[in-house]
Amino acid sequence: KQEVTQIPAALSVPEGENLVLNCSFTDSAIYNLQWFRQDPGKGLTSLLLIQSSQREQTSGRLNASLDKSSGRSTLYIAASQPGDSATYLCAVGNQAGTALIFGKGTTLSVSS
Amino acid sequence: GAVVSQHPSRVICKSGTSVKIECRSLDFQATTMFWYRQFPKQSLMLMATSNEGSKATYEQGVEKDKFLINHASLTLSTLTVTSAHPEDSSFYICSAGQSATNEKLFFGSGTQLSVL
């Protein structure tokens, strides 16, 4: 059974710092991996989607990498801003057409 | 991108009443929709997979008679929490895929259910 783990559970950084969020999954035979942002009491905003054949994806200050063989993904946030404060969720799709399996998330707080 | 609309965003009800949550794909047809539940500081946990025109598939531990799912059209799935109790208080969120392969899933904005 696929399990997704995110470390750390919480992170506090000053504005401007570069940071890395980690995600690991137990079954490396995945279809894709997605990073989401969730604000308190709100739904999910998709940040980056990495297909199993890809190594990384970039969007603005965000860069996500995928190492299937080791079961790891990282989300890199450059020059963090207070507006980046949110919970970041990593989710794995095992097969096409199936639901995503989520980690518990990393709650990020960026202070000005 | 594709839009999934979920209503209501927040509902407060008395114990024993039933609550219906709607999930609509606004600009695409969704053969499959997924329903998740999220307790505070916990991950999103899959409750059931909803397929248009057929019975939903429930995850282990989810009571199908308590959480009724109807997916009568390609753009609408509903989740009804029957005889809700305080322990059902949670954040419920739906998602839908834009294609048969569900290469990318889109999520509704979620429903915060509070049962008094």
Side-chain angles (χ1 to χ4, degrees):
Chain A
K1 181 182 177 183
Q2 180 74 272
E3 292 183 3
V4 180
T5 303
Q6 290 187 247
I7 295 173
L11 182 63
S12 293
V13 300
E15 182 177 7
E17 198 162 295
N18 302 326
L19 56 100
V20 175
L21 308 181
N22 297 291
C23 172
S24 62
F25 44 95
T26 54
D27 186 345
S28 62
I30 65 171
Y31 181 68
N32 60 24
L33 183 145
Q34 241 175 303
W35 282 93
F36 294 87
R37 168 184 173 141
Q38 185 177 30
D39 293 284
K42 304 293 184 182
L44 306 181
T45 300
S46 179
L47 298 174
L48 291 165
L49 167 67
I50 309 177
Q51 300 294 349
S52 61
S53 59
Q54 298 174 325
R55 297 282 294 181
E56 67 176 348
Q57 285 287 327
T58 298
S59 176
R61 294 182 293 108
L62 305 179
N63 175 276
S65 67
L66 173 64
D67 184 343
K68 265 186 54 177
S69 60
S70 65
R72 297 175 188 271
S73 174
T74 61
L75 178 66
Y76 175 82
I77 302 177
S80 58
Q81 304 170 357
D84 295 331
S85 299
T87 295
Y88 291 81
L89 297 169
C90 170
V92 167
N94 282 339
Q95 300 175 25
T98 61
L100 294 177
I101 299 170
F102 285 82
K104 289 187 177 181
T106 294
T107 299
L108 172 65
S109 177
V110 182
S111 56
S112 56
Chain B
V3 177
V4 174
S5 175
Q6 185 174 341
H7 293 282
S9 59
R10 181 178 295 273
V11 59
I12 301 173
C13 68
K14 292 182 179 179
S15 183
T17 60
S18 294
V19 175
K20 180 184 284 189
I21 302 170
E22 290 190 349
C23 180
R24 294 180 183 272
S25 55
L26 296 186
D27 50 2
F28 66 98
Q29 293 184 330
T31 306
T32 305
M33 288 187 176
F34 304 97
W35 287 94
Y36 292 84
R37 178 168 55 183
Q38 184 182 33
F39 291 107
K41 299 190 183 301
Q42 296 297 313
S43 178
L44 276 75
M45 298 300 296
L46 180 67
M47 298 176 66
T49 299
S50 166
N51 294 297
E52 186 267 337
S54 62
K55 291 184 178 180
T57 302
Y58 291 81
E59 295 298 300
Q60 190 174 9
V62 178
E63 300 175 56
K64 63 179 181 180
D65 294 330
K66 181 171 185 61
F67 298 99
L68 301 179
I69 292 174
N70 184 284
H71 194 162
S73 76
L74 286 172
T75 60
L76 174 65
S77 177
T78 60
L79 167 67
T80 301
V81 183
T82 62
S83 186
H85 291 285
E87 57 265 30
D88 298 323
S89 299
S90 185
F91 187 71
Y92 294 85
I93 191 166
C94 67
S95 72
Q98 196 172 8
S99 68
T101 59
N102 287 336
E103 185 168 293
K104 185 173 182 178
L105 294 179
F106 298 91
F107 285 78
S109 55
T111 297
Q112 183 64 52
L113 171 64
S114 298
V115 184
L116 305 179

Coordinates of all heavy atoms in Angstrom, one line a residue, chain A residues 1 31-32 34 36 38 41-44 46 49 51 89 95-105 107, chain B residues 9-10 32 34 36 38 41-46 49 91 93 100-105 107-110 112:
Chain A
K1 N 0.8 -1.2 0.0 CA 0.0 0.0 0.0 C 0.9 1.2 0.0 O 1.8 1.4 0.8 CB -0.9 0.0 1.2 CG -1.8 1.2 1.3 CD -2.6 1.1 2.6 CE -3.5 2.4 2.7 NZ -4.3 2.4 4.0
Y31 N 2.6 6.9 -11.2 CA 2.1 7.4 -12.5 C 2.5 8.9 -12.6 O 3.0 9.4 -13.6 CB 0.6 7.2 -12.7 CG 0.1 7.8 -14.0 CD1 0.4 7.2 -15.2 CD2 -0.8 8.9 -14.0 CE1 -0.1 7.6 -16.4 CE2 -1.3 9.3 -15.2 CZ -1.0 8.7 -16.4 OH -1.5 9.2 -17.6
N32 N 2.3 9.6 -11.5 CA 2.7 11.0 -11.4 C 2.7 11.5 -10.0 O 2.3 10.7 -9.1 CB 1.7 11.9 -12.3 CG 0.3 11.9 -11.8 OD1 0.0 11.6 -10.7 ND2 -0.6 12.2 -12.7
Q34 N 2.1 15.2 -7.6 CA 1.7 16.6 -7.6 C 1.9 17.3 -6.3 O 1.8 16.7 -5.2 CB 0.1 16.6 -7.9 CG -0.3 17.4 -9.2 CD -1.8 17.3 -9.5 OE1 -2.3 16.2 -9.6 NE2 -2.4 18.4 -9.6
F36 N 0.7 20.5 -4.0 CA -0.5 21.4 -3.8 C -0.2 22.4 -2.7 O 0.6 22.1 -1.8 CB -1.7 20.7 -3.5 CG -2.3 19.8 -4.5 CD1 -1.8 18.5 -4.6 CD2 -3.2 20.2 -5.4 CE1 -2.3 17.6 -5.6 CE2 -3.8 19.4 -6.4 CZ -3.3 18.0 -6.5
Q38 N -2.4 24.5 0.3 CA -3.7 24.6 0.9 C -3.6 25.7 2.0 O -2.8 25.7 2.9 CB -4.1 23.3 1.6 CG -5.5 23.3 2.1 CD -5.9 22.0 2.7 OE1 -5.1 21.2 3.2 NE2 -7.2 21.8 2.7
G41 N -8.6 26.2 5.9 CA -10.0 26.2 5.7 C -10.4 26.3 4.2 O -11.5 26.4 3.9
K42 N -9.4 26.1 3.4 CA -9.6 26.3 1.9 C -9.3 25.0 1.2 O -8.8 24.1 1.7 CB -8.8 27.4 1.3 CG -9.0 28.8 2.0 CD -10.3 29.3 1.8 CE -10.5 30.7 2.4 NZ -11.8 31.3 2.2
G43 N -9.6 25.0 -0.1 CA -9.3 23.9 -1.0 C -7.9 23.9 -1.4 O -7.0 24.5 -0.8
L44 N -7.6 23.1 -2.4 CA -6.3 22.9 -2.9 C -6.0 23.7 -4.2 O -6.8 23.8 -5.0 CB -6.0 21.4 -3.2 CG -6.4 20.4 -2.1 CD1 -6.1 19.0 -2.5 CD2 -5.6 20.8 -0.8
S46 N -3.3 23.6 -7.2 CA -2.2 22.8 -7.8 C -1.0 23.6 -8.1 O -1.2 24.7 -8.8 CB -2.7 22.1 -9.0 OG -1.7 21.3 -9.6
L49 N 2.9 19.6 -11.4 CA 2.6 18.2 -11.7 C 3.8 17.6 -12.4 O 4.3 18.1 -13.4 CB 1.4 18.1 -12.5 CG 1.1 16.7 -13.2 CD1 0.7 15.7 -12.1 CD2 0.0 16.8 -14.2
Q51 N 5.2 14.1 -14.2 CA 4.9 12.8 -14.7 C 6.0 11.9 -14.3 O 7.1 12.3 -14.1 CB 4.7 12.8 -16.2 CG 3.6 13.7 -16.7 CD 2.2 13.3 -16.3 OE1 2.0 12.1 -15.8 NE2 1.2 14.1 -16.4
L89 N 1.1 20.3 0.3 CA 0.8 18.9 0.2 C 1.5 18.2 -1.0 O 1.4 18.7 -2.1 CB -0.7 18.7 0.2 CG -1.5 19.2 1.4 CD1 -3.0 19.2 1.0 CD2 -1.2 18.3 2.6
Q95 N -1.7 5.1 -10.5 CA -2.0 4.7 -11.9 C -2.9 5.7 -12.5 O -3.5 6.5 -11.8 CB -2.8 3.4 -11.8 CG -2.1 2.2 -11.2 CD -3.0 1.0 -11.1 OE1 -4.0 0.8 -11.9 NE2 -2.8 0.1 -10.2
A96 N -3.0 5.7 -13.8 CA -3.9 6.6 -14.5 C -5.3 6.3 -14.1 O -5.7 5.2 -14.0 CB -3.7 6.4 -16.0
G97 N -6.1 7.4 -13.8 CA -7.5 7.2 -13.5 C -7.8 6.9 -12.0 O -8.9 6.7 -11.7
T98 N -6.7 6.8 -11.2 CA -7.0 6.5 -9.8 C -6.8 7.8 -8.9 O -6.2 8.8 -9.4 CB -6.0 5.4 -9.3 OG1 -4.7 5.9 -9.4 CG2 -6.2 4.1 -10.1
A99 N -7.3 7.7 -7.7 CA -7.2 8.8 -6.8 C -5.8 9.1 -6.4 O -4.9 8.2 -6.4 CB -8.1 8.6 -5.6
L100 N -5.5 10.3 -6.0 CA -4.2 10.7 -5.4 C -4.1 10.3 -4.0 O -5.1 10.3 -3.2 CB -4.0 12.2 -5.5 CG -3.9 12.8 -6.9 CD1 -3.8 14.3 -6.9 CD2 -2.8 12.2 -7.7
I101 N -2.9 9.9 -3.6 CA -2.6 9.6 -2.2 C -1.8 10.7 -1.6 O -0.7 11.0 -2.1 CB -1.9 8.2 -2.1 CG1 -2.8 7.1 -2.6 CG2 -1.6 7.9 -0.6 CD1 -2.1 5.8 -2.8
F102 N -2.3 11.3 -0.5 CA -1.6 12.5 0.0 C -0.8 12.2 1.2 O -1.0 11.3 2.0 CB -2.7 13.5 0.5 CG -3.4 14.2 -0.7 CD1 -4.4 13.6 -1.4 CD2 -3.0 15.5 -1.0 CE1 -5.1 14.2 -2.4 CE2 -3.6 16.1 -2.1 CZ -4.6 15.5 -2.8
G103 N 0.3 13.1 1.4 CA 1.0 13.2 2.6 C 0.3 14.1 3.6 O -0.7 14.7 3.2
K104 N 0.8 14.2 4.8 CA 0.1 15.1 5.8 C 0.4 16.5 5.6 O -0.2 17.4 6.2 CB 0.5 14.6 7.2 CG -0.1 13.3 7.6 CD 0.2 13.0 9.1 CE -0.4 11.7 9.5 NZ -0.1 11.4 11.0
G105 N 1.4 16.8 4.8 CA 1.7 18.2 4.5 C 2.8 18.8 5.4 O 3.2 18.3 6.4
T107 N 3.5 22.6 7.0 CA 3.0 23.9 7.2 C 4.1 24.9 7.2 O 5.0 24.8 8.1 CB 2.2 23.9 8.5 OG1 1.1 23.0 8.4 CG2 1.6 25.3 8.7
Chain B
S9 N -19.8 25.8 0.9 CA -18.4 25.9 1.4 C -18.4 25.6 2.9 O -17.4 25.2 3.5 CB -17.8 27.2 1.1 OG -18.6 28.3 1.7
R10 N -19.5 25.9 3.6 CA -19.6 25.7 5.0 C -21.0 25.3 5.4 O -21.9 25.9 4.9 CB -19.1 26.9 5.8 CG -19.1 26.8 7.3 CD -18.5 28.1 7.9 NE -17.1 28.3 7.5 CZ -16.1 27.8 8.2 NH1 -16.3 27.1 9.3 NH2 -14.9 28.1 7.8
T32 N -15.1 10.3 -13.7 CA -14.8 9.8 -12.4 C -14.6 11.0 -11.5 O -13.9 12.0 -11.8 CB -13.5 9.0 -12.3 OG1 -13.7 7.9 -13.3 CG2 -13.2 8.4 -10.9
F34 N -13.7 11.9 -7.2 CA -13.2 11.3 -5.9 C -13.7 12.2 -4.8 O -13.6 13.4 -4.8 CB -11.7 11.2 -6.0 CG -11.1 10.5 -7.1 CD1 -10.7 11.1 -8.3 CD2 -11.1 9.1 -7.1 CE1 -10.2 10.4 -9.3 CE2 -10.6 8.4 -8.2 CZ -10.1 9.1 -9.3
Y36 N -12.9 13.1 -0.7 CA -11.9 13.0 0.3 C -12.5 13.6 1.6 O -13.4 14.5 1.6 CB -10.6 13.8 0.0 CG -9.8 13.2 -1.2 CD1 -10.1 13.5 -2.5 CD2 -8.7 12.4 -0.9 CE1 -9.3 13.0 -3.5 CE2 -7.9 11.9 -1.9 CZ -8.2 12.2 -3.2 OH -7.5 11.7 -4.2
Q38 N -10.9 15.4 5.4 CA -9.7 15.8 6.0 C -10.0 16.3 7.4 O -10.7 17.3 7.6 CB -9.0 17.0 5.2 CG -7.7 17.4 5.8 CD -7.1 18.6 5.0 OE1 -7.8 19.4 4.4 NE2 -5.8 18.6 4.9
K41 N -5.3 19.0 10.8 CA -3.9 18.7 10.9 C -3.6 17.3 10.3 O -2.5 16.7 10.6 CB -3.3 18.9 12.3 CG -3.4 20.3 12.8 CD -2.6 20.5 14.0 CE -2.7 21.9 14.6 NZ -2.3 22.9 13.6
Q42 N -4.5 16.7 9.6 CA -4.3 15.4 9.0 C -4.3 15.5 7.5 O -4.7 16.5 6.9 CB -5.5 14.5 9.5 CG -5.5 14.2 11.0 CD -4.2 13.5 11.4 OE1 -3.8 12.5 10.8 NE2 -3.6 14.0 12.5
S43 N -4.0 14.4 6.9 CA -3.9 14.4 5.4 C -5.3 14.2 4.8 O -6.3 13.8 5.6 CB -3.0 13.2 5.0 OG -3.0 13.1 3.6
L44 N -5.4 14.4 3.6 CA -6.7 14.1 2.9 C -6.8 12.6 2.7 O -5.8 12.0 2.2 CB -6.7 14.8 1.5 CG -7.2 16.2 1.4 CD1 -6.1 17.1 1.9 CD2 -7.5 16.5 -0.1
M45 N -7.9 12.1 3.2 CA -8.1 10.6 3.1 C -9.2 10.3 2.1 O -10.3 10.9 2.2 CB -8.4 10.0 4.5 CG -7.4 10.2 5.5 SD -5.8 9.4 5.0 CE -6.3 7.7 5.0
L46 N -8.9 9.4 1.1 CA -9.9 9.1 0.1 C -11.0 8.3 0.8 O -10.8 7.4 1.5 CB -9.3 8.2 -0.9 CG -10.2 7.8 -2.1 CD1 -10.6 9.0 -2.9 CD2 -9.5 6.7 -3.0
T49 N -14.7 6.5 -4.6 CA -14.5 6.9 -6.0 C -15.9 6.8 -6.6 O -16.6 5.7 -6.5 CB -13.6 5.9 -6.7 OG1 -12.3 6.0 -6.1 CG2 -13.4 6.2 -8.2
F91 N -13.6 18.4 7.0 CA -13.5 19.1 5.8 C -13.6 18.1 4.7 O -12.8 17.1 4.6 CB -12.2 19.8 5.7 CG -12.0 20.7 4.6 CD1 -12.7 21.9 4.5 CD2 -11.1 20.4 3.5 CE1 -12.6 22.8 3.4 CE2 -10.9 21.3 2.5 CZ -11.7 22.5 2.4
I93 N -13.8 17.3 0.6 CA -13.4 17.9 -0.7 C -13.5 16.9 -1.8 O -13.2 15.7 -1.6 CB -12.0 18.5 -0.5 CG1 -11.6 19.3 -1.7 CG2 -10.9 17.4 -0.3 CD1 -10.4 20.2 -1.5
A100 N -10.1 10.5 -19.4 CA -10.2 9.1 -18.9 C -9.0 8.7 -18.1 O -9.0 7.8 -17.2 CB -10.4 8.2 -20.1
T101 N -7.8 9.3 -18.5 CA -6.6 8.9 -17.7 C -6.4 9.7 -16.5 O -5.5 9.4 -15.7 CB -5.4 9.1 -18.6 OG1 -5.3 10.5 -19.0 CG2 -5.4 8.2 -19.9
N102 N -7.3 10.7 -16.3 CA -7.1 11.6 -15.1 C -5.7 12.0 -14.9 O -5.1 11.9 -13.8 CB -7.6 10.8 -13.8 CG -9.1 10.7 -13.8 OD1 -9.8 11.5 -14.5 ND2 -9.6 9.7 -13.2
E103 N -5.1 12.5 -16.0 CA -3.7 12.9 -15.9 C -3.5 13.9 -14.8 O -2.5 13.9 -14.1 CB -3.2 13.4 -17.2 CG -1.7 13.7 -17.3 CD -1.3 13.9 -18.7 OE1 -1.3 12.9 -19.5 OE2 -0.9 15.1 -19.0
K104 N -4.4 14.8 -14.7 CA -4.3 15.8 -13.7 C -5.7 16.0 -13.1 O -6.7 16.1 -13.8 CB -3.9 17.2 -14.3 CG -3.7 18.3 -13.3 CD -3.2 19.5 -13.9 CE -2.9 20.6 -12.8 NZ -2.3 21.8 -13.4
L105 N -5.7 15.9 -11.7 CA -7.0 16.0 -11.0 C -7.2 17.5 -10.6 O -6.3 18.1 -10.1 CB -7.0 15.1 -9.8 CG -7.0 13.6 -10.2 CD1 -7.0 12.8 -8.9 CD2 -8.2 13.2 -11.0
F107 N -9.5 20.1 -8.0 CA -10.2 19.9 -6.8 C -11.2 21.1 -6.6 O -11.0 22.2 -7.0 CB -9.1 20.0 -5.6 CG -8.4 18.7 -5.5 CD1 -7.4 18.4 -6.3 CD2 -8.8 17.8 -4.5 CE1 -6.7 17.2 -6.2 CE2 -8.1 16.6 -4.4 CZ -7.0 16.3 -5.2
G108 N -12.3 20.7 -5.9 CA -13.2 21.7 -5.4 C -12.6 22.5 -4.3 O -11.5 22.2 -3.8
S109 N -13.4 23.5 -3.8 CA -12.9 24.4 -2.7 C -13.1 23.8 -1.3 O -12.7 24.4 -0.4 CB -13.5 25.7 -2.9 OG -14.9 25.7 -2.9
G110 N -13.9 22.7 -1.3 CA -14.1 22.0 0.0 C -15.3 22.5 0.7 O -15.8 23.6 0.5
Q112 N -16.7 22.6 4.8 CA -16.4 22.4 6.2 C -17.7 22.1 6.9 O -18.6 22.9 6.9 CB -15.8 23.7 6.8 CG -15.5 23.5 8.3 CD -14.4 22.5 8.5 OE1 -13.3 22.5 7.9 NE2 -14.6 21.6 9.4

